[in-house]
């Protein structure tokens, strides 16, 4: 018998014990119920049954007959993915392009989680089996800093921090033209694009989204921006910049100029997560992690600077 202990994440507030264990540990619901029936589940040191409702932040101790194997994770090495920082609570990676945060329907390429598991890292079991440890995501075509929880307590704390917007998320984006004003905020709701599958758009019935930006360097045909995300909607920067007629260079799905993209050698959107800052879930100290531009993005900038003369 082995014991697993963790805190109930906010996403499982009010769920039954068997349902929560199924999601957290990758078990079938019947297997989770069997553990509870054998008095193998304690919440705040009290034995509970399978139908007990959970409260976020409560501590669960589970007596397990054997360590479960994570479900839905293809453990394969990810070339080019670097480890920026690693401790018992979380691991910070420099995610390359062409890598998804986790596996999903229709995606058959490499994933951050799969790469970490293949490298021998222990990942938090919180979250759906294929998304274990994931507290935020970067698009497949967006590179940069990403954090993954290793401990259950870290998962709960980091997930809450992202939800409460206490995390500092800084991106650099090369966009077409020159935004006016040069320091501004874009506040516009985002929802799925009903005409183009897989894309998003500004919609009145979308989710609240706020993007802050500031010009770093301007060129003849494009501008390098520093972007701070107040919210974290899917494709948020790409959608907001496209909506202001300044799409990210190379972002053809959102209306970027293919001629300029080819000139700059871009095969994806020029968008990079350069910095991530948050309160360490165990020590309470503020920590920040950074990532340099990958080769394709740096090359595009160099070409613009040469053209600028």
């Amino acid at each position: 018998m082995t014991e697993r202990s963790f805190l109930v994440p906010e996403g499982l507030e009010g769920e039954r014990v068997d349902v929560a264990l199924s999601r957290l540990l990758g078990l079938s619901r019947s297997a989770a119920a069997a553990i509870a029936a054998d008095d193998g589940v304690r919440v705040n040191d009290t034995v509970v049954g399978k139908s007990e409702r959970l409260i976020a932040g409560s501590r669960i101790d589970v007596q397990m007959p054997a360590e479960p194997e994570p479900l839905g994770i293809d453990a394969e090495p990810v070339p080019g993915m670097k480890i920026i920082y690693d401790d018992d609570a979380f691991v910070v990676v420099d995610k390359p392009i062409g890598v998804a945060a986790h596996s999903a329907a229709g995606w058959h390429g490499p994933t951050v989680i799969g790469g970490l598991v293949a490298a021998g890292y222990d990942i938090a079991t919180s979250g759906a089996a294929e998304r274990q440890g994931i507290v935020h995501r970067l698009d497949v075509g967006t590179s940069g800093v990403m954090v993954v929880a290793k401990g259950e307590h870290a998962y709960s704390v980091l997930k809450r921090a992202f939800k409460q917007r206490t995390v500092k998320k800084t991106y650099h984006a090369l966009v077409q033209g020159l935004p006016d004003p040069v320091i501004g905020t874009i506040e516009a709701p985002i929802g799925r694009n009903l005409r183009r599958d897989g894309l998003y758009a500004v919609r009145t019935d979308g989710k609240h989204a706020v993007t802050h930006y500031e010009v770093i360097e301007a060129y003849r045909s494009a501008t390098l921006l520093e972007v701070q995300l107040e919210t974290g909607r899917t494709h948020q920067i790409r959608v907001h910049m496209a909506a202001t007629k300044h799409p990210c260079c190379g972002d053809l799905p959102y209306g970027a100029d293919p001629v300029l993209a080819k000139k700059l050698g871009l095969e994806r959107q020029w968008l990079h997560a350069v910095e991530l800052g948050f309160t360490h879930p165990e020590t309470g100290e503020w920590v920040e992690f950074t990532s340099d531009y990958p080769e394709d993005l740096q090359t595009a900038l160099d070409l613009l600077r040469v053209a600028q003369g």
Side-chain angles (χ1 to χ4, degrees), residues 40-125:
V41 182
R42 289 177 289 118
V43 175
N44 295 332
D45 291 327
T46 300
V47 174
V48 296
K50 65 179 183 180
S51 60
E52 184 80 15
R53 299 287 177 173
L54 295 174
I55 298 175
S58 297
R59 178 186 176 88
I60 301 182
D61 300 300
V62 184
Q63 291 291 334
M64 306 205 40
E67 188 74 14
E69 291 293 328
L71 300 179
I73 296 178
D74 294 324
E76 296 182 359
V78 176
M81 188 171 77
K82 302 175 183 177
I83 304 300
I84 298 175
Y85 177 84
D86 174 36
D87 67 15
D88 291 339
F90 57 83
V91 57
V92 180
V93 304
D94 195 347
K95 187 188 88 65
I97 61 169
V99 179
H102 56 77
S103 59
W107 176 253
H108 304 291
T111 67
V112 170
I113 293 301
L116 290 174
V117 171
Y121 285 87
D122 292 324
I123 303 300
T125 56

Side-chain angles (χ1 to χ4, degrees), residues 183-217:
I183 299 177
T185 295
I186 304 170
E187 185 170 359
I190 293 175
R192 290 187 179 277
N193 189 323
L194 300 181
R195 296 181 179 179
R196 301 187 65 185
D197 189 41
L199 299 184
Y200 291 76
V202 169
R203 294 178 47 183
T204 57
D205 61 346
K207 294 181 179 180
H208 178 65
V210 181
T211 302
H212 306 286
Y213 70 87
E214 180 175 352
V215 169
I216 299 175
E217 194 170 357

Side-chain angles (χ1 to χ4, degrees), residues 77-180:
V78 176
M81 188 171 77
K82 302 175 183 177
I83 304 300
I84 298 175
Y85 177 84
D86 174 36
D87 67 15
D88 291 339
F90 57 83
V91 57
V92 180
V93 304
D94 195 347
K95 187 188 88 65
I97 61 169
V99 179
H102 56 77
S103 59
W107 176 253
H108 304 291
T111 67
V112 170
I113 293 301
L116 290 174
V117 171
Y121 285 87
D122 292 324
I123 303 300
T125 56
S126 298
E130 73 278 5
R131 298 195 300 272
Q132 291 176 353
I134 294 293
V135 293
H136 74 124
R137 294 177 292 181
L138 295 179
D139 295 344
V140 171
T142 300
S143 51
V145 186
M146 182 176 163
V147 61
V148 177
K150 294 173 65 178
E152 309 306 330
H153 178 254
Y155 176 89
S156 179
V157 173
L158 288 173
K159 195 73 173 178
R160 185 181 304 116
F162 276 93
K163 183 176 181 180
Q164 295 177 347
R165 305 173 187 173
T166 60
V167 177
K168 180 183 178 182
K169 298 174 287 185
T170 305
Y171 294 74
H172 283 182
L174 184 70
V175 302
Q176 294 181 191
L178 176 63
D180 183 17

